[in-house]
Amino acid sequence: MDYFAYKNNKLYCEDVDLQDIAMQYGTPCYVYSKKTLERHVDVYKKAFKSKDNLICFSVKSLSNISILEFINKKGCGFDVVSGGELKRVLHVGADPKKIIFSGVGKSYDEILLGIQNNILSFNIESEAEVYRIEEIASSKNKVVDIAIRFNPEVDSGGHEYIKTGRKGDKFGISSDDSVLKIANHIYQSKNLNLVGLACHIGSQILDLESYRLTAQNIKKLSINIKKIGHDLDFLDLGGGLGIPYENDKTPSPEELISIIEQELEDIDERIVLEPGRSISGNAGILLTTVEYIKENFLIVDAAMNDLLRPALYKAKHDVWNLKEMESIDQVWTIVGPVCESSDVIAREHSINANEGDVLAIKTAGAYGFVMSSNYNSRVRPAEVMVDGKTFNVIRSRESFNDLIKNEINLND
Ligand code: LLP
């Protein structure tokens, strides 16, 4: 459910005519609906019936500080995967005790930053990482809270590049024996405290049975860990819930949480979830203008540097014309200006359009702007937030100076 809809044949975001945003800020331009974000956060929060829980928004999906601050005010915690993301959420006033730090390659400085800020947990992904955290904790005379991320051996379906929960994937710890060995080590350690068990099985997951299996596995392993003597605070089932990209039927957060609550009914730990896409995905669109029409191609001003998903994963995004058409009788391949054959936004897409029309690439809120780049020396697009009848820029379009500001001309 989102707040992008046609009214009087024009596409609106909440109460704003999207053509007005395109006129004022130009294209390509990301537009987010505050009401949609709010709705998705509320759905997650209200879906829990019984358990104490924590929703940690996955910052990697959409990380503009204006959006993070709003999500923080809604009471969510955050899942971060880098020092940069950690600094972003601290910058907007996040409660450190609601921050989870995931990721396979946390550097010394990133760990130190997390320790200095007393975050809720480092979700560790290897034995080597445990020793590194322990060493830093010991040198600073601290006791650090950590959770072990394991692989529940669940193949969640979806694109190969976004599966993470199978044995042998680069994330988490694959063998239960290794998990128990680490848990034993932590139990003996003066500087480490085991607070949770975590997993994240993938992204754009449409089959809730994968979550049921994951919940069963995490519960089983947590029982064995508690036998060592640990008293856990939470079980973290990660993010990954899929969303509709092309009118497909997808499971809701309520259905997901109901399955998790059923499976974890009799445990004492809090449940943590790390949703990204299912909160931010259809809260955003990317506006783009048709520059040229050639043969069966609509050549638009947004490209793979602005929205990488179609080029990287052959991901499909619906594309709408801001002007609603009575009937559609044209089929186009929509491409961007970047000099790569993979710079295709949509293939064989049914849409009526003329040169100069503005189109909305839908469901671009998650893994859209955050994966943008300056390839072909293209400046990153502007980001605009709509709130009811008003809209404000929350990141200006980059300029040529932004492109070269860190470059040093040795010939000067
Ligand atoms: N927690 C962890 C540890 C993760 O690695 C991720 C996503 C999430 C939570 C949030 O997952 P979500 O709810 O957003 O599915 N760039 C890809 C998606 C990569 C997902 C990476 N990890 C895409 O555009 O489809």
Side-chain angles (χ1 to χ4, degrees):
M1 158 66 186
D2 63 60
Y3 291 90
F4 293 91
Y6 286 108
K7 292 183 210 171
N8 303 323
N9 302 324
K10 293 166 169 187
L11 188 60
Y12 275 69
C13 172
E14 302 185 17
D15 299 320
V16 173
D17 180 346
L18 284 164
Q19 194 74 41
D20 292 345
I21 297 182
M23 294 278 283
Q24 189 156 334
Y25 294 113
T27 59
C29 172
Y30 277 94
V31 180
Y32 308 108
S33 152
K34 192 168 179 183
K35 225 163 142 184
T36 309
L37 282 169
E38 178 158 46
R39 184 179 184 281
H40 293 165
V41 170
D42 288 345
V43 166
Y44 264 102
K45 293 182 81 176
K46 286 184 192 142
F48 279 96
K49 295 213 169 50
S50 48
K51 296 276 176 197
D52 193 7
N53 65 79
L54 181 63
I55 302 294
C56 289
F57 175 65
S58 190
V59 173
K60 67 174 82 66
S61 73
L62 177 59
S63 62
N64 184 288
I65 51 172
S66 202
I67 285 167
L68 296 180
E69 179 150 343
F70 175 64
I71 289 178
N72 183 47
K73 287 196 176 130
K74 295 286 301 172
C76 288
F78 295 99
D79 158 54
V80 301
V81 289
S82 69
E85 288 190 354
L86 178 54
K87 286 182 187 166
R88 277 180 183 272
V89 299
L90 292 170
H91 177 78
V92 301
D95 175 356
K97 284 294 163 212
K98 290 186 180 172
I99 301 175
I100 280 183
F101 198 148
S102 313
V104 291
K106 301 176 194 81
S107 70
Y108 179 95
D109 288 346
E110 289 175 326
I111 293 170
L112 190 58
L113 187 68
I115 291 179
Q116 283 162 343
N117 285 284
N118 290 315
I119 61 170
L120 171 61
S121 168
F122 289 93
N123 284 2
I124 63 98
E125 308 213 14
S126 65
E127 201 175 330
E129 188 188 337
V130 177
Y131 300 139
R132 182 182 281 186
I133 296 178
E134 188 174 29
E135 199 184 306
I136 303 173
S138 157
S139 73
K140 303 287 166 200
N141 230 349
K142 290 261 205 177
V143 179
V144 173
D145 291 339
I146 66 179
I148 303 173
R149 174 169 170 187
F150 77 108
N151 280 335
E153 184 55 21
V154 173
D155 186 337
S156 56
H159 195 282
E160 196 55 29
Y161 289 4
I162 54 179
K163 288 182 187 178
T164 52
R166 301 161 301 177
K167 306 274 182 218
D169 282 332
K170 85 168 180 180
F171 301 97
I173 291 164
S174 288
S175 122
D176 287 3
D177 286 348
S178 301
V179 172
L180 294 172
K181 180 179 166 211
I182 291 171
N184 267 307
H185 177 82
I186 298 170
Y187 195 64
Q188 307 298 328
S189 170
K190 290 198 301 285
N191 298 98
L192 299 175
N193 182 30
L194 189 66
V195 289
L197 191 56
C199 50
H200 167 77
I201 54 173
S203 201
Q204 187 54 16
I205 299 168
L206 302 173
D207 172 18
L208 289 183
E209 284 311 301
S210 311
Y211 284 104
R212 187 187 298 282
L213 214 59
T214 303
Q216 289 166 352
N217 289 351
I218 201 169
K219 182 173 157 184
K220 243 186 271 161
L221 194 53
S222 73
I223 291 169
N224 288 334
I225 283 180
K226 284 186 280 188
K227 282 185 191 150
I228 297 172
H230 289 292
D231 196 10
L232 301 181
D233 168 25
F234 64 82
L235 301 185
D236 175 356
L237 283 97
L241 187 65
I243 58 169
Y245 279 93
E246 296 178 296
N247 282 333
D248 25 16
K249 167 100 185 75
T250 53
S252 66
E254 287 101 331
E255 289 167 308
L256 166 69
I257 289 169
S258 146
I259 285 184
I260 293 174
E261 284 195 324
Q262 264 169 34
E263 295 299 330
L264 302 181
E265 197 177 28
D266 49 352
I267 59 143
D268 298 326
E269 291 79 21
R270 292 193 287 167
I271 296 172
V272 174
L273 293 179
E274 304 169 359
R277 189 193 314 265
S278 48
I279 288 181
S280 53
N282 60 11
I285 56 155
L286 175 59
L287 291 179
T288 183
T289 304
V290 179
E291 294 277 11
Y292 302 102
I293 292 183
K294 174 174 96 168
E295 298 149 19
N296 63 326
F297 295 111
L298 289 183
I299 303 171
V300 298
D301 64 0
M304 64 190 285
N305 75 294
D306 304 301
L307 179 67
L308 184 59
R309 302 192 71 258
L312 187 60
Y313 315 114
K314 293 214 165 78
K316 293 193 173 141
H317 287 256
D318 212 353
V319 185
W320 292 4
N321 195 315
L322 294 200
K323 294 182 274 190
E324 189 175 24
M325 308 284 169
E326 297 262 296
S327 62
I328 291 176
D329 52 14
Q330 297 172 340
V331 177
W332 302 100
T333 293
I334 305 175
V335 298
V338 158
C339 300
E340 296 275 349
S341 299
S342 59
D343 185 23
V344 175
I345 305 277
R347 284 170 206 278
E348 302 199 2
H349 190 74
S350 299
I351 186 169
N352 285 5
N354 294 306
E355 285 176 7
D357 283 359
V358 181
L359 313 181
I361 305 170
K362 303 240 7 241
T363 327
Y367 308 107
F369 184 89
V370 288
M371 289 172 75
S372 64
S373 76
N374 291 121
Y375 187 39
N376 278 201
S377 282
R378 288 168 53 85
V379 294
R380 270 177 247 246
E383 292 179 288
V384 169
M385 175 84 109
V386 171
D387 183 7
K389 290 192 178 94
T390 60
F391 57 95
N392 288 291
V393 71
I394 56 172
R395 193 181 201 272
S396 1
R397 183 178 311 285
E398 287 179 347
S399 63
F400 174 66
N401 277 343
D402 292 322
L403 281 185
I404 60 162
K405 71 176 178 229
N406 293 325
E407 293 178 28
I408 295 152
N409 186 346
L410 295 179
N411 306 298
D412 278 350

mmCIF file of all heavy atoms in Angstrom, residues 3 131 183 209 230 264 353 376:
data_model
loop_
_atom_site.group_PDB
_atom_site.id
_atom_site.type_symbol
_atom_site.label_atom_id
_atom_site.label_comp_id
_atom_site.label_asym_id
_atom_site.label_seq_id
_atom_site.Cartn_x
_atom_site.Cartn_y
_atom_site.Cartn_z
ATOM 1 N N TYR A 3 1.071 5.784 -1.237
ATOM 2 C CA TYR A 3 0.306 7.002 -1.520
ATOM 3 C C TYR A 3 0.739 7.653 -2.835
ATOM 4 O O TYR A 3 0.918 8.860 -2.912
ATOM 5 C CB TYR A 3 0.423 7.968 -0.335
ATOM 6 C CG TYR A 3 -0.310 7.446 0.882
ATOM 7 C CD1 TYR A 3 0.325 6.637 1.810
ATOM 8 C CD2 TYR A 3 -1.671 7.722 1.071
ATOM 9 C CE1 TYR A 3 -0.345 6.125 2.914
ATOM 10 C CE2 TYR A 3 -2.360 7.220 2.162
ATOM 11 C CZ TYR A 3 -1.687 6.419 3.086
ATOM 12 O OH TYR A 3 -2.362 5.912 4.167
ATOM 13 N N TYR A 131 37.348 -12.470 18.203
ATOM 14 C CA TYR A 131 38.644 -12.213 18.844
ATOM 15 C C TYR A 131 39.036 -10.745 18.685
ATOM 16 O O TYR A 131 39.595 -10.135 19.588
ATOM 17 C CB TYR A 131 39.726 -13.141 18.276
ATOM 18 C CG TYR A 131 39.404 -14.610 18.490
ATOM 19 C CD1 TYR A 131 39.636 -15.552 17.499
ATOM 20 C CD2 TYR A 131 38.842 -15.046 19.696
ATOM 21 C CE1 TYR A 131 39.316 -16.890 17.704
ATOM 22 C CE2 TYR A 131 38.521 -16.385 19.901
ATOM 23 C CZ TYR A 131 38.754 -17.297 18.901
ATOM 24 O OH TYR A 131 38.423 -18.615 19.099
ATOM 25 N N ALA A 183 30.148 -19.498 21.399
ATOM 26 C CA ALA A 183 29.331 -19.185 22.579
ATOM 27 C C ALA A 183 30.071 -19.594 23.857
ATOM 28 O O ALA A 183 30.030 -18.883 24.867
ATOM 29 C CB ALA A 183 27.981 -19.889 22.483
ATOM 30 N N GLU A 209 7.252 -19.581 4.423
ATOM 31 C CA GLU A 209 7.713 -20.834 5.041
ATOM 32 C C GLU A 209 9.212 -20.764 5.346
ATOM 33 O O GLU A 209 9.697 -21.405 6.271
ATOM 34 C CB GLU A 209 7.391 -22.041 4.148
ATOM 35 C CG GLU A 209 5.926 -22.447 4.192
ATOM 36 C CD GLU A 209 5.356 -22.584 5.616
ATOM 37 O OE1 GLU A 209 5.886 -23.388 6.390
ATOM 38 O OE2 GLU A 209 4.376 -21.886 5.950
ATOM 39 N N HIS A 230 24.320 -18.989 29.115
ATOM 40 C CA HIS A 230 24.019 -17.629 28.648
ATOM 41 C C HIS A 230 22.546 -17.283 28.887
ATOM 42 O O HIS A 230 21.671 -18.132 28.749
ATOM 43 C CB HIS A 230 24.269 -17.515 27.136
ATOM 44 C CG HIS A 230 25.705 -17.538 26.759
ATOM 45 N ND1 HIS A 230 26.562 -16.514 27.071
ATOM 46 C CD2 HIS A 230 26.453 -18.465 26.084
ATOM 47 C CE1 HIS A 230 27.764 -16.801 26.598
ATOM 48 N NE2 HIS A 230 27.729 -17.991 26.007
ATOM 49 N N LEU A 264 7.697 -18.822 17.997
ATOM 50 C CA LEU A 264 8.519 -18.424 19.148
ATOM 51 C C LEU A 264 7.665 -18.088 20.376
ATOM 52 O O LEU A 264 8.098 -17.353 21.258
ATOM 53 C CB LEU A 264 9.409 -17.217 18.772
ATOM 54 C CG LEU A 264 10.359 -17.426 17.586
ATOM 55 C CD1 LEU A 264 11.197 -16.193 17.326
ATOM 56 C CD2 LEU A 264 11.275 -18.631 17.825
ATOM 57 N N ALA A 353 3.955 7.128 -24.279
ATOM 58 C CA ALA A 353 4.790 8.264 -23.885
ATOM 59 C C ALA A 353 5.277 9.015 -25.111
ATOM 60 O O ALA A 353 5.458 8.435 -26.191
ATOM 61 C CB ALA A 353 5.987 7.765 -23.080
ATOM 62 N N ASN A 376 30.005 7.623 -15.538
ATOM 63 C CA ASN A 376 29.868 8.507 -16.715
ATOM 64 C C ASN A 376 29.886 9.976 -16.301
ATOM 65 O O ASN A 376 29.362 10.839 -17.004
ATOM 66 C CB ASN A 376 28.596 8.217 -17.529
ATOM 67 C CG ASN A 376 28.743 7.049 -18.500
ATOM 68 O OD1 ASN A 376 27.986 6.941 -19.468
ATOM 69 N ND2 ASN A 376 29.686 6.168 -18.272
#
